[in-house]
Amino acid sequence: MPTVTFLPGYRKVTVPEGTTLLDAARAAGLSMNVVCGGQGKCGKCLVFIKEGTVTFDREKYRRFFSNDEIARGACLACQATVVGDIQVNVPAESLIQEQKILVEVPGLEGIPFNPAVRKYEVRLEPPSLDDTTPDLTRVLEGIELQGGPPPTSIYAPLDVLCYLPLVLRRSGWHATATVALAPVGYRLSSVDEGNTTGRLYGAAVDLGTTTVVVYLWSLVDGRILATASNYNRQISCGEDILSRVNFSRKSGLSRLQQLAAESINEALTTAADAAGIDREEIFEVMIAGNTVMTHLFLGIDPAYMIAEPYIPVVRRMLSTGAGQSGIAAHKNAEVYTFPAVSNFIGGDIIADILATGMAEREEPTLMVDIGTNFEAVLGNSDWMLSCAGAAGPALEGGEVLFGMRANPGAIERARIDAETLAPTCSTINGARPRGICGSGLIDLLAELFRACVIDRTGRINLEIGHPRVRKGQYYPEFVVVWKEETSLGKDIVITENDIRNLIMSKAAIHGACMTLLDAAGLMPGDIGRVCFAGAFGNYLNKENAITIGLIPEISLERVENIGNGAITGANIALLDRKRRKELDAIARKITYIELNAEPSFMDRYTSSCFLPHTDFTLFPHVQQTLEACRARQGVRSWQA
C-alpha cells in the first residue's frame, strides 16, 4: 500500500490506493480544516504535493488557487486521492488551530443554589452485642439525623457496600456520606473516612459538535472553581454531524463514544488541575448537547435520525454512571444529559431555553442559535414552537473564498467608511488578517449595503470608480485588506458569489423565523425579545443582523446576545435541582415544525433572498438607511 508522508512534521501513514488525502491526514493524526465536511466546497484543506502524484481535478477547483499555488502542486485534501507514495506539505492555515471558544457567560451569579448532591458528616456509635444494627442502616440513620433523607429512600450501590465496613472501622466510625438525588429517590454515592464535607464538586458541560466547554463548581458553596475548553476529538472522524453518523454506521459508534468521553475528560482534567482538586471528588456532571451528540456520547445508534422519518432513539433526560460512560469523575457520579424535542432540536436548545428564561415569561421570545445549522424557538410560558434548518456553511466561513473559523487572524469586526470605502477591521488576537469569520462577514455585508457598494440582490456595483471595487478572476469583488497587510501575501476580498451565499444563508434563518410567527399568528412587532445564542450570536452585531434581514426588525434594545446558552443552561441545571426537574416538561411543551413540509416556508425564504427583504415595510428603519445612502451617492466623489 502507498505511504503518505506529511510535511513539515514527517508524519507517515500507509493507506490503500484511492484513499483521500483528508482521510490519510486523519489517520496520521492531523486535524484538517474542512468547514464543508469534505465536499470540496470551502477550499480550506489546501495542501501541496511535493513528491509523487495524486488523482485530482485541478481545473474543477481552479477557483480556490492562485497561479503560484497551482505551480507548487496545490490541491484539496478532501478531493485528492492517493495513487502511490507521496510527500504532502500541509500549510499551518489548513489545519484546525486554536479557536476563539466562547467560555465566559454572563448572569451566572443569579442562579439559585440548590444542588442535587450533598455530603453528610456522621459520627456513629460502634456496634456491640447490645446493638447489632447493620453498618448500612447505621450510616443511613446517621444521615437522617444530620438532616438528610430518610433511610428508606436511599439506595446503596453494591460497590459501596463492599468497602463500607472497612471504611467505618478504619475511621473510628467517623465518616462522610455523599448522597445524590437520583431519578427515583436518592443514591448513596460514596462513604469516606473522616470529614470531607468541604470537598464536593460538580461539572457542567457543553458538548458541541466542534468544541467542548466545561465549568467546574463547588457544590458546597456555589463557587465557580475553573473553566476549560478544547476541540471535540470526534472531528477526526468527521467535520459535521452527518459525517459522524455515517462513520458510526461503519462500526465506528464505540470509537465516537470513546472520543466524546475523552474530549470531556480533557477539559475536566484541565479545569480540575487549575482548581487544584481531585477529579474523584466530582460527583455530578450535567451535559448539554444536540440530539446526535447526546446519542453518540451515550453509545446509542443515531443512524435513524438522518433517514426519513428522522426518529431519535430517545428524547427524555437520561442519567448514567460516570464509570459506565467513561467520564473522569467519581465512578458513582451521576452523569445527566439534557432531553431533546426532535432529531434537530436537541438538549443544547433546551439549555438555551433555560438560559433565556423564556419558559417563565408571558411575552413571546424568539431564540435563535446559529451555526452550520440553525435552530429557532418562539414562545412563552404557555406554548413554544420550534424549527431547524441548514444555514449553510457560509456563516461559519465555508463557501466563502476567504472565510474561516474564529481562529487567530480572522477578521471578526469590520466597518466601511461610506465616503472613502476604507475598511477598518479587527482580528482575533490582533494577528495579521488571514481570513474572515462569521461575525466579520455579517459586518461586511451590512456595511457594503449601507455604502451602496452592493444592491438589494447582493450585486456589486462595478461602476463605482474605486480601486477596492473591481472585477476579480471569476466574480466582481471588494478588497477588504490589501495583500501587504495580510499574513497570506494576497488580497483578502469578498466576492459577489460570497455575498450571494451569505444572503441565502441569512434568508433561510429569516424565513424560518417568519414561518414560526405565521404559525403562532404573530407579527414581528409582537415579539418581546430576540435572543441570539451560541458563539456566533454572541459576537454578532445585532444592528447589522437586522440591516441585512437576518432576523425580523424590532427595536435594538429588545435584542440580546445571551452568549453560550448551552453551557449557561447546563450550569443552571447543575446548581438548581428544581430547574432540572422542569427540563422534560419544557421539551414536551415544544411543538416542532418541519420546514420542508411547511408550504409557507419556501415563500418566506424566497422573499428573504434580498437585502433585507422584498417587503421593505417589514424593515422601515433599514429603508431609511438606504434612502440616506442614495441621497449621499448622488454627490459622492470617489478618491483613488
Side-chain angles (χ1 to χ4, degrees):
M1 291 193 295
T3 297
V4 183
T5 304
F6 291 98
L7 307 173
Y10 283 91
R11 296 194 186 191
K12 294 187 177 184
V13 62
T14 301
V15 296
E17 188 172 327
T19 301
T20 66
L21 286 180
L22 175 60
D23 287 338
R26 287 169 173 165
L30 296 174
S31 296
M32 300 292 294
N33 185 17
V34 195
V35 176
C36 67
Q39 301 179 62
K41 294 182 178 180
C42 70
K44 308 304 180 198
C45 59
L46 169 69
V47 295
F48 298 94
I49 307 303
K50 188 173 181 181
E51 290 184 9
T53 58
V54 294
T55 300
F56 177 66
D57 188 349
R58 193 163 279 109
E59 281 306 310
K60 181 178 179 180
Y61 301 100
R62 176 69 175 78
R63 65 189 184 279
F64 293 121
F65 313 122
S66 67
N67 291 332
D68 176 65
E69 288 169 336
I70 288 178
R72 291 161 52 201
C75 63
L76 299 182
C78 68
Q79 300 300 313
T81 56
V82 177
V83 295
D85 293 350
I86 54 171
Q87 285 191 352
V88 184
N89 188 50
V90 183
E93 57 267 22
S94 296
L95 296 171
I96 293 176
Q97 300 177 12
E98 174 193 359
Q99 182 164 338
K100 188 172 184 178
I101 302 174
L102 182 57
V103 175
E104 302 301 327
V105 290
L108 296 182
E109 64 279 354
I111 301 174
F113 183 60
N114 184 25
V117 184
R118 294 182 182 176
K119 283 190 171 186
Y120 300 91
E121 180 186 10
V122 293
R123 295 181 181 272
L124 307 173
E125 290 295 325
S128 66
L129 291 175
D130 296 326
D131 181 5
T132 58
T133 303
D135 291 350
L136 177 62
T137 303
R138 202 175 295 272
V139 170
L140 298 183
E141 289 175 347
I143 291 171
E144 185 177 26
L145 288 174
Q146 295 300 315
T152 55
S153 66
I154 302 177
Y155 161 73
L158 178 60
D159 70 296
V160 175
L161 296 178
C162 289
Y163 69 70
L164 180 63
L166 180 61
V167 167
L168 292 179
R169 285 160 180 81
R170 195 164 57 192
S171 67
W173 301 92
H174 175 208
T176 298
T178 304
V179 179
L181 180 65
V184 179
Y186 295 85
R187 172 192 292 234
L188 182 64
S189 300
S190 178
V191 179
D192 304 302
E193 295 183 38
N195 180 6
T196 65
T197 54
R199 304 197 302 273
L200 177 62
Y201 311 109
V205 179
D206 168 22
L207 178 58
T209 307
T210 305
T211 58
V212 174
V213 177
V214 163
Y215 269 63
L216 188 60
W217 292 82
S218 165
L219 297 184
V220 176
D221 54 19
R223 289 181 298 115
I224 298 175
L225 302 178
T227 62
S229 62
N230 48 257
Y231 278 109
N232 186 332
R233 295 185 180 185
Q234 290 179 339
I235 288 176
S236 63
C237 300
E239 192 80 11
D240 55 18
I241 288 295
L242 182 60
S243 299
R244 293 182 205 177
V245 174
N246 287 330
F247 183 87
S248 75
R249 297 171 72 177
K250 301 174 182 177
S251 303
L253 181 57
S254 61
R255 177 60 177 159
L256 288 166
Q257 194 285 324
Q258 178 187 11
L259 290 172
E262 288 177 358
S263 302
I264 295 172
N265 290 342
E266 180 182 354
L268 273 177
T269 301
T270 301
D273 289 348
I277 72 164
D278 188 340
R279 294 179 310 183
E280 287 295 315
E281 293 182 308
I282 298 173
F283 278 91
E284 194 160 72
V285 180
M286 197 77 204
I287 299 176
N290 65 49
T291 313
V292 171
M293 290 308 308
T294 298
H295 277 57
L296 292 176
F297 166 70
L298 295 172
I300 299 172
D301 187 0
Y304 301 102
M305 281 190 282
I306 64 170
E308 194 172 340
Y310 313 110
I311 303 298
V313 175
V314 61
R315 293 189 298 193
R316 63 184 296 180
M317 182 172 69
L318 296 178
S319 65
T320 184
Q324 184 178 0
S325 57
I327 293 300
H330 190 281
K331 64 180 179 180
N332 286 334
E334 204 76 24
V335 178
Y336 289 91
T337 56
F338 272 68
V341 176
S342 68
N343 57 332
F344 293 120
I345 303 295
D348 52 345
I349 304 305
I350 304 300
D352 284 342
I353 291 171
L354 202 61
T356 64
M358 60 189 291
E360 293 92 51
R361 293 173 177 248
E362 291 186 11
E363 62 178 10
T365 297
L366 174 63
M367 190 280 296
V368 184
D369 194 322
I370 304 173
T372 300
N373 298 314
F374 70 87
E375 298 86 17
V377 181
L378 174 69
N380 61 10
S381 57
D382 296 323
W383 57 271
M384 289 186 191
L385 301 173
S386 67
C387 66
L395 295 178
E396 290 195 327
E399 297 186 2
V400 173
L401 186 59
F402 285 92
M404 63 180 290
R405 286 195 177 93
N407 299 142
I411 296 171
E412 61 176 344
R413 293 278 183 268
R415 296 290 302 271
I416 296 176
D417 186 288
E419 295 299 325
T420 66
L421 293 193
T424 303
C425 303
S426 61
T427 63
I428 294 174
N429 292 358
R432 286 173 70 87
R434 65 183 188 89
I436 316 166
C437 66
S439 58
L441 289 168
I442 295 298
D443 284 356
L444 285 169
L445 188 59
E447 292 290 315
L448 291 171
F449 184 46
R450 289 195 192 100
C452 293
V453 174
I454 60 176
D455 63 17
R456 293 178 62 193
T457 68
R459 186 180 63 85
I460 292 177
N461 182 7
L462 288 175
E463 295 181 3
I464 296 175
H466 195 282
R468 289 188 183 270
V469 180
R470 68 191 189 192
K471 182 166 179 57
Q473 186 173 3
Y474 295 99
Y475 305 99
E477 60 191 27
F478 178 85
V479 181
V480 181
V481 186
W482 298 112
K483 63 181 180 181
E484 294 81 9
E485 302 166 8
T486 75
S487 64
L488 304 174
K490 53 186 174 182
D491 297 338
I492 293 177
V493 304
I494 183 168
T495 72
E496 198 171 273
N497 187 60
D498 297 338
I499 291 167
R500 190 60 192 158
N501 287 330
L502 288 167
I503 290 175
M504 288 191 292
S505 291
K506 76 90 185 173
I509 296 168
H510 185 269
C513 293
M514 295 302 294
T515 300
L516 291 182
L517 288 170
D518 289 344
L522 300 178
M523 296 294 291
D526 298 321
I527 301 172
R529 294 186 305 156
V530 172
C531 295
F532 282 117
F536 181 87
N538 187 70
Y539 299 110
L540 187 64
N541 181 303
K542 54 190 180 182
E543 181 179 3
N544 288 343
I546 292 175
T547 296
I548 68 170
L550 181 70
I551 58 171
E553 180 174 296
I554 66 172
S555 57
L556 289 179
E557 61 270 16
R558 288 191 282 160
V559 182
E560 302 176 20
N561 296 331
I562 68 168
N564 187 337
I567 194 63
T568 300
N571 283 321
I572 293 171
L574 175 71
L575 296 184
D576 187 359
R577 62 185 185 180
K578 179 181 177 182
R579 299 294 297 280
R580 185 188 307 176
K581 290 180 179 179
E582 302 170 0
L583 297 179
D584 279 324
I586 290 173
R588 288 193 299 268
K589 183 189 298 183
I590 301 172
T591 299
Y592 179 68
I593 296 175
E594 178 59 61
L595 293 177
N596 291 334
E598 184 61 35
S600 66
F601 171 68
M602 187 51 65
D603 291 336
R604 287 296 192 180
Y605 167 77
T606 303
S607 298
S608 301
C609 286
F610 294 83
L611 295 173
H613 194 271
T614 54
D615 184 358
F616 245 148
T617 63
L618 295 174
F619 292 84
H621 290 94
V622 178
Q623 184 176 17
Q624 291 175 10
T625 300
L626 186 61
E627 289 173 350
C629 165
R630 286 173 175 165
R632 202 170 51 243
Q633 190 178 39
V635 297
R636 181 171 54 194
S637 175
W638 297 107
Q639 300 295 322

